[in-house]
Amino acid sequence: MKKLLNFLFLVSTTCLLAQNNTELEHYSFEELEKVQQQEARPYVIFIHTDWCRFCHGMRKNTFSHPDIVSILNTDYYFVEINAEQKKDITFLDTTFSYRPSGANTGIHDLAKALGTVNGKISYPTTVFLNTKNEIILQYAGFADHKTLYELLEKIKN
């Protein structure tokens, strides 16, 4: 009997841990066209940099929260872009490139196109696109899990 109880405890603990470790599904821009044909969903695009502490906070806390992971994995396609990455990205039949603006500075054209609000870009910026690839909302700045969840629910409905 004791062995059975230990076994049931082990199995239930493993199941609970597996449920809590659900990871956020990430897509590349190149994958979006293909997955969109299979199932149309809006996009959430997270624009960040390596040096931005608020970006790191969102990646660590907001995008790992179980409610955020669940709604993003179910109802959206999630993409991240480092605004300072140098790799070309093809999205919607257009190739976007990194543009240096100084000795060690620059911005990726795609981050600029998606994240510019009132002529400026700030980090982090979370961009919401509908299934027609139209920007429906740009949220500049840090969003905690409650704020982001409210936005995701509003856009979903």
Side-chain angles (χ1 to χ4, degrees):
M1 181 70 165
K2 188 176 181 181
K3 287 183 179 181
L4 178 61
L5 288 175
N6 284 338
F7 175 75
L8 290 174
F9 176 76
L10 180 65
V11 169
S12 64
T13 304
T14 304
C15 289
L16 286 174
L17 289 174
Q19 288 176 352
N20 290 334
N21 286 335
T22 304
E23 290 190 27
L24 181 59
E25 295 173 13
H26 292 75
Y27 295 88
S28 69
F29 283 97
E30 291 81 5
E31 293 173 308
L32 288 178
E33 193 172 329
K34 187 176 185 178
V35 295
Q36 197 63 303
Q37 290 174 353
Q38 295 170 354
E39 180 184 356
R41 296 185 201 171
Y43 309 130
V44 173
I45 301 170
F46 180 60
I47 303 170
H48 62 87
T49 63
D50 290 336
W51 50 264
C52 169
R53 67 184 174 108
F54 295 107
C55 302
H56 288 287
M58 280 189 70
R59 292 175 86 190
K60 182 178 178 184
N61 300 311
T62 305
F63 291 115
S64 65
H65 191 278
D67 292 342
I68 299 299
V69 171
S70 177
I71 193 169
L72 285 174
N73 285 350
T74 304
D75 299 313
Y76 294 89
Y77 294 116
F78 179 74
V79 184
E80 288 189 63
I81 179 172
N82 181 336
E84 297 176 331
Q85 77 176 28
K86 295 182 172 66
K87 179 183 163 224
D88 287 352
I89 298 172
T90 301
F91 181 54
L92 303 175
D93 298 323
T94 303
T95 300
F96 297 88
S97 302
Y98 173 81
R99 301 282 177 221
S101 59
N104 293 316
T105 62
I107 187 169
H108 201 280
D109 285 337
L110 184 54
K112 188 175 181 180
L114 293 171
T116 300
V117 179
N118 297 325
K120 298 179 184 177
I121 189 164
S122 62
Y123 306 110
T125 295
T126 308
V127 183
F128 303 83
L129 275 67
N130 64 19
T131 57
K132 297 176 185 173
N133 302 311
E134 301 165 331
I135 295 174
I136 53 177
L137 177 67
Q138 296 163 301
Y139 189 91
F142 180 87
D144 62 18
H145 74 273
K146 290 179 184 177
T147 302
L148 185 59
Y149 190 81
E150 290 171 5
L151 291 170
L152 293 167
E153 279 292 327
K154 191 175 191 179
I155 291 169
K156 183 174 84 168
N157 297 325

